[in-house]
Amino acid sequence: MPICLRGCEWLVFYIDKIRTMFAFIGSGKALFMVYKGKLYVPGKLSDMASQYAKLAGLDRSGACHLYRHNTATTMLDNGDDLRHIQEMLGQLASLLHNFILT
């Protein structure tokens, strides 16, 4: 999946500085974790996004889906190729599915 240089820099920062504060031997190779190094469970990210949306005063459900839709719309508005966006979102869906299963 394509990622910009700035995104790579933030991932390196997270891996080097933040992840090490939460990871323990049971965390394995998981990139993102919840509190105390536990692995994300299916639906947790969606639950967290919904909580933050409510705190921000948004009265809509499906926060992760809304984010995904907004990302695709913004990319289209900025001239990205529709096929590229479809491929990226398909890879993201596959990546998230595999992430949840592992």
Side-chain angles (χ1 to χ4, degrees), residues 72 75-88:
M75 291 175 73
L76 274 174
D77 289 347
N78 286 299
D80 282 309
D81 181 61
L82 179 60
R83 295 285 180 215
H84 169 78
I85 296 169
Q86 289 173 327
E87 181 180 340
M88 184 192 76

Side-chain angles (χ1 to χ4, degrees), residues 1-30:
M1 176 169 45
I3 186 169
C4 67
L5 178 60
R6 186 73 175 139
C8 289
E9 291 169 353
W10 276 109
L11 276 175
V12 168
F13 174 79
Y14 168 78
I15 291 167
D16 290 345
K17 305 289 185 195
I18 307 300
R19 186 185 182 282
T20 56
M21 294 189 303
F22 295 102
F24 68 101
I25 192 112
S27 300
K29 295 181 181 181

Side-chain angles (χ1 to χ4, degrees), residues 4-5 9 14-15 39-40 47-48 52 56-57 84 89 94 97:
C4 67
L5 178 60
E9 291 169 353
Y14 168 78
I15 291 167
L39 304 181
Y40 273 106
D47 292 344
M48 290 171 61
Y52 289 125
H84 169 78
L89 292 176
S94 177
H97 179 74

Side-chain angles (χ1 to χ4, degrees), residues 67-79 85 89:
Y67 174 76
R68 182 180 164 95
H69 178 78
N70 183 283
T71 299
T73 302
T74 301
M75 291 175 73
L76 274 174
D77 289 347
N78 286 299
I85 296 169
L89 292 176

